[in-house]
Amino acid sequence: MFYVTDLERSRHFYVELLGLNVVHETPGALYLRANEDREWTLKLELAPEAGVKHLAYRVGTPDDLEAAARFLDAQGLPWRWETEHDRPRLLRFQDPYGVPVAFYAESVKHPWHLQDYHLHRGAGLQRIDHINVMTPDVEGVMRWYMDELGFRLSEFTEDEQGRVWAAWIQRRGSVHDLALTNGTGPRLHHFAYWMPDMQSIIRTCDILAGARMPEAIERGPGRHGVSNAFFLYIRDPDGHRIELYTSDYLTVDPDFEPIRWALDDPRRQTLWGAKTPRSWFEEGSLLEAYGGGWAEPKEGELRGLPVHVI
Ligand SMILES: [Fe+2]
């Protein structure tokens, strides 16, 4: 859920150019989904400052939500119930590393647009894919989500001392639901949508160029080494980073072995060797603290290292 400072400017970007579908709107908020999403997957809320309210995950049943509340009690983490449009109960808390999280079990479903091709617009975003969080403690966050919440490791970047610098973890059998990137945080690095094909990603570049917004294209298009995905990073009018992503692989095999990348292997970021801009390493969206205000970012150890290193 993004806070944005000019809702009409954001509507132009997300609805008219990217083609997200408006599920619901109020004078201060837009609830958006991509063509395959059966429920809204991105809320834009008007606010004085840009930032991120929380990152939400769906749990299987209302009983799972109650179990999550008991788990948070056992962890000594404060939580509260909140409500959102189409979602009567959100369990809102902050993970031990300062990331605002909401779990929910029930959400209203809307008519499926996947095969309503005549309703697809703009870049043609298909479905929510993953989020990426910047943190100075990748290993700590990774361990908590794996040990406590059952996430599984797909790929990781490691230095010669065995220290983890980046991790891709998942619960649904794709490469990742959550990626962790070393850097100043906690901050959101990006929010990613799956695209139907590579051509739709290239078309996004043409759409942004046609709208005289080439500065919104930050990195790519290109092919990641990690995840094998074809990607593009763009920045919304408030600077929130969106990744458009396609063509990764499945991790559902019970004997799947995580893939290790050496920290000094440049192919992991871009298989083709293209340079990554500095802004990609240094900039991210602030996250709302549980008690209000912004979670205070702590400086990561990225600074001072060559920009091809995460
Ligand atoms: Fe990503």
Side-chain angles (χ1 to χ4, degrees), residues 108-127:
V108 172
K109 294 291 195 290
H110 294 271
W112 205 33
H113 272 186
L114 182 61
Q115 293 175 326
D116 288 338
Y117 286 101
H118 62 300
L119 300 177
H120 294 193
R121 297 283 181 268
L125 277 56
Q126 184 157 324
R127 63 171 180 266

Side-chain angles (χ1 to χ4, degrees), residues 3-199:
Y3 291 121
V4 299
T5 57
D6 181 334
L7 201 55
E8 288 314 305
R9 192 176 59 165
S10 296
R11 184 201 299 268
H12 178 248
F13 184 81
Y14 284 101
V15 178
E16 290 172 31
L17 300 181
L18 298 189
L20 288 178
N21 175 235
V22 180
V23 168
H24 179 68
E25 64 179 287
T26 67
L30 287 172
Y31 296 80
L32 307 173
R33 65 166 174 171
N35 291 324
E36 187 183 333
D37 294 332
R38 292 176 169 84
E39 57 186 85
W40 64 267
T41 47
L42 176 63
K43 179 186 176 187
L44 305 177
E45 185 174 314
L46 186 62
E49 282 182 272
V52 178
K53 185 174 186 177
H54 61 238
L55 306 170
Y57 298 89
R58 188 160 190 193
V59 300
T61 67
D63 284 347
D64 293 333
L65 206 53
E66 298 293 341
R70 292 193 296 276
F71 161 75
L72 293 172
D73 282 338
Q75 290 264 314
L77 293 171
W79 57 269
R80 59 180 179 253
W81 295 114
E82 292 187 356
T83 181
E84 232 339 321
H85 176 72
D86 282 348
R87 292 173 189 165
R89 273 206 322 167
L90 278 91
L91 178 61
R92 170 82 158 85
F93 67 100
Q94 183 171 294
D95 77 18
Y97 300 88
V99 178
V101 178
F103 288 159
Y104 66 97
E106 295 166 284
S107 184
V108 172
K109 294 291 195 290
H110 294 271
W112 205 33
H113 272 186
L114 182 61
Q115 293 175 326
D116 288 338
Y117 286 101
H118 62 300
L119 300 177
H120 294 193
R121 297 283 181 268
L125 277 56
Q126 184 157 324
R127 63 171 180 266
I128 186 172
D129 194 82
H130 64 267
I131 50 183
N132 185 311
V133 168
M134 295 171 88
T135 171
D137 187 359
V138 167
E139 200 151 354
V141 181
M142 177 189 85
R143 278 280 142 236
W144 192 78
Y145 278 83
M146 290 177 66
D147 295 348
E148 307 295 345
L149 297 180
F151 281 70
R152 297 173 289 271
L153 184 63
S154 300
E155 304 198 25
F156 61 105
T157 300
E158 194 177 54
D159 66 17
E160 286 172 359
Q161 286 75 47
R163 194 168 151 218
V164 177
W165 285 72
W168 289 260
I169 58 178
Q170 58 80 26
R171 282 193 51 107
R172 83 193 143 135
S174 61
V175 173
H176 59 316
D177 302 312
L178 174 61
L180 305 165
T181 297
N182 197 311
T184 299
R187 290 183 297 166
L188 181 71
H189 188 273
H190 63 263
F191 183 65
Y193 278 97
W194 176 270
M195 300 295 281
D197 49 38
M198 291 189 280
Q199 185 59 39

